[in-house]
Amino acid sequence: MRYLVVIASIRQSLPGFEETMAQIRSTFVEPAELVVIDGQAGKAAALNRAAREILPGSDAPIYVTMDDDVLLGADWQAKVSAAMEALPQVGAIGLWPGDEHGELVGAHRYGPWREAGSTRYRLAERGHHLNGAFIAYRREVALKLWPQPETAERYQVWEDAWRGRRVQALGWELAMIECDPPRFIHYPDPQEYLDRKARELETTHQSAESMLATSGIADPLLLRIRRRLARIKQRFR
């Protein structure tokens, strides 16, 4: 299968960036085009631009969006291609980070491990989403997915959830697959960037439920009940 891989970044000038891009290219064992786009306006705006200007001009059947600090295992393309063929109901795929990091992706909101051919996978429950550090979409899903909402904040805590729920709203499943777990590098980010990101994530956390609801992909009833029960428990601690 052919791949179109898009990375939105503001770190092009930082030490380690070119080495990371070279590592990603070194894992391409199937035809792939890697495109790095400017992310100064925020991830949502950058991915919207990629969906307008880059995605339509490619006929690659798999469209990958990923972060600039992800180091991929050598087997990721073979695993994703096999999963796309074995799981026709799945519209987007993430890479399982390893059981020791399962809670980082909300492991309790995925079903049990299953097998289809050579693919081991877990399906996300309705209303959950894939971690935005790496997502592989079927092209026909990606073409219908965007645009996503943009706000004054560059960093939105809910933007991964928005994309995941849009995939489900289009009638597809989300799956995590077993592979060599991705690793992450740490860039020497300026403190100003880190402080702004923290502030904006906190701001958008407060508006997450209403933003998803106004987009027609509100939290499922069961999830809202769980959250309310958790808040009640917090009051009595």
Side-chain angles (χ1 to χ4, degrees):
M1 291 188 180
R2 295 187 314 285
Y3 287 72
L4 172 61
V5 181
V6 169
I7 296 176
S9 180
I10 62 171
R11 292 167 164 152
Q12 292 91 324
S13 63
L14 293 182
F17 181 83
E18 291 302 329
E19 291 81 359
T20 301
M21 297 303 105
Q23 189 277 341
I24 292 170
R25 289 188 178 93
S26 75
T27 66
F28 293 164
V29 295
E30 301 181 32
E33 178 185 6
L34 174 62
V35 181
V36 178
I37 60 175
D38 181 67
Q40 290 291 342
K43 189 173 181 179
L47 293 183
N48 282 343
R49 182 161 59 85
R52 291 192 310 268
E53 301 175 6
I54 301 172
L55 176 60
S58 170
D59 61 357
I62 301 179
Y63 178 59
V64 174
T65 62
M66 58 181 289
D67 290 348
D68 58 9
D69 57 356
V70 179
L71 298 174
L72 298 171
D75 66 345
W76 75 271
Q77 271 192 317
K79 294 288 188 179
V80 169
S81 292
M84 289 293 189
E85 292 184 353
L87 305 172
Q89 78 279 25
V90 170
I93 289 172
L95 307 179
W96 187 250
D99 291 342
E100 67 273 22
H101 300 301
E103 285 309 309
L104 296 177
V105 295
H108 62 288
R109 298 194 63 192
Y110 287 88
W113 283 106
R114 303 179 183 180
E115 294 186 5
S118 62
T119 299
R120 293 193 75 234
Y121 68 99
R122 297 178 68 177
L123 294 178
E125 69 177 37
R126 303 300 293 180
H128 195 42
H129 59 276
L130 301 174
N131 184 289
F134 175 99
I135 305 177
Y137 301 91
R138 295 184 188 275
R139 183 175 188 272
E140 60 265 40
V141 175
L143 287 171
K144 296 178 181 178
L145 186 64
W146 281 276
Q148 65 188 91
E150 298 179 29
T151 66
E153 297 82 17
R154 299 181 192 177
Y155 307 102
Q156 304 158 335
V157 73
W158 45 264
E159 53 101 2
D160 292 352
W162 188 93
R163 294 199 303 277
R165 293 187 191 178
R166 277 288 295 153
V167 172
Q168 292 176 332
L170 290 169
W172 298 83
E173 298 279 3
L174 302 170
M176 281 278 196
I177 62 171
E178 185 180 66
C179 64
D180 291 339
R183 296 177 293 115
F184 296 86
I185 70 164
H186 296 284
Y187 290 99
D189 291 315
Q191 191 60 46
E192 180 183 1
Y193 158 80
L194 297 174
D195 291 344
R196 175 173 182 164
K197 184 175 182 179
R199 289 195 306 270
E200 293 189 350
L201 289 177
E202 177 59 29
T203 299
T204 57
H205 178 76
Q206 298 171 11
S207 63
E209 287 188 38
S210 61
M211 178 60 72
L212 293 171
T214 56
S215 297
I217 45 177
D219 291 335
L221 177 60
L222 182 58
L223 179 58
R224 295 200 298 271
I225 292 173
R226 284 179 185 168
R227 285 179 174 165
R228 288 176 184 173
L229 289 175
R231 290 169 186 154
I232 292 171
K233 289 179 181 178
Q234 282 291 119
R235 294 174 184 170
F236 290 96
R237 284 184 178 177

